[in-house]
Amino acid sequence: EDIVISTFAYQDINNFRGDIPAIIYATDPVPLFMLDRFKSIQKEKWLTMVVSERCYPPEVQPIEKEYIEIPYALDPVGYHNYVGDLKKVLVVNRKARERWDEVIKGVTGLGCPLEEYLEGIPFDICNIPDKGLYRQALARYKVMFHFSNSPYTIVLFEGMTIGMPIVGFNHSSVTVSPPTEKYLDKYSTDRDEIRKMLQDELLTPP
């Protein structure tokens, strides 16, 4: 290895000793058990800090070192224009049910299965491994329901890039999600509000 990179939940920085350069890609809140090490390692000259945006309060993302910022950017080449002819909600998340369980508990402390939360609303969880077929499907679904433990997921930017309507759940497992609030007009953590926004989008002509 010529360089090591740490991302959420940053446990691997416990093993960083400076024998090779290291990067922390800070996109998420830092778990409480990693806060002290996350702070102390920033004193090291061999460490580089990369940040998508400073979007979390310092209590949960204590970035004290000078950092490189990588803003939102996505090349639209290869994507299809939004059509929205399939009147269903699309959920795109690699582990959709597990991630949903985490974010809903972050708000309520209690679990609520995704199927129960969206009961009566037609939706699909996207599991299309082929990139080309996935991008075709993305353009056809009427609206996306976005939730994530990470503030920056490529699917959010994909939906934004093609002009797809997106309803967001603006909370991770531990705190609010400022990027959701920054980039989306429609978001909530209230079930009735989420359901109404999704249903309204389904009834709106593409």
Side-chain angles (χ1 to χ4, degrees), residues 55-56 146 148 150-151 169-172 175-182:
C55 57
Y56 286 106
H146 178 264
S148 177
S150 175
F169 189 86
N170 58 314
H171 207 285
S172 71
T175 185
V176 296
S177 179
T180 301
E181 298 174 0
K182 175 179 178 179

Side-chain angles (χ1 to χ4, degrees), residues 150-168:
S150 175
Y152 294 96
T153 55
I154 189 172
V155 64
L156 172 64
F157 299 141
E158 287 177 323
M160 290 166 54
T161 297
I162 68 171
M164 183 181 195
I166 305 173
V167 174

Side-chain angles (χ1 to χ4, degrees), residues 101-110 169-176 188-190:
D101 187 60
E102 292 168 358
V103 300
I104 189 66
K105 286 179 178 177
V107 175
T108 66
L110 301 172
F169 189 86
N170 58 314
H171 207 285
S172 71
S173 61
V174 294
T175 185
V176 296
S188 181
T189 57
D190 181 87

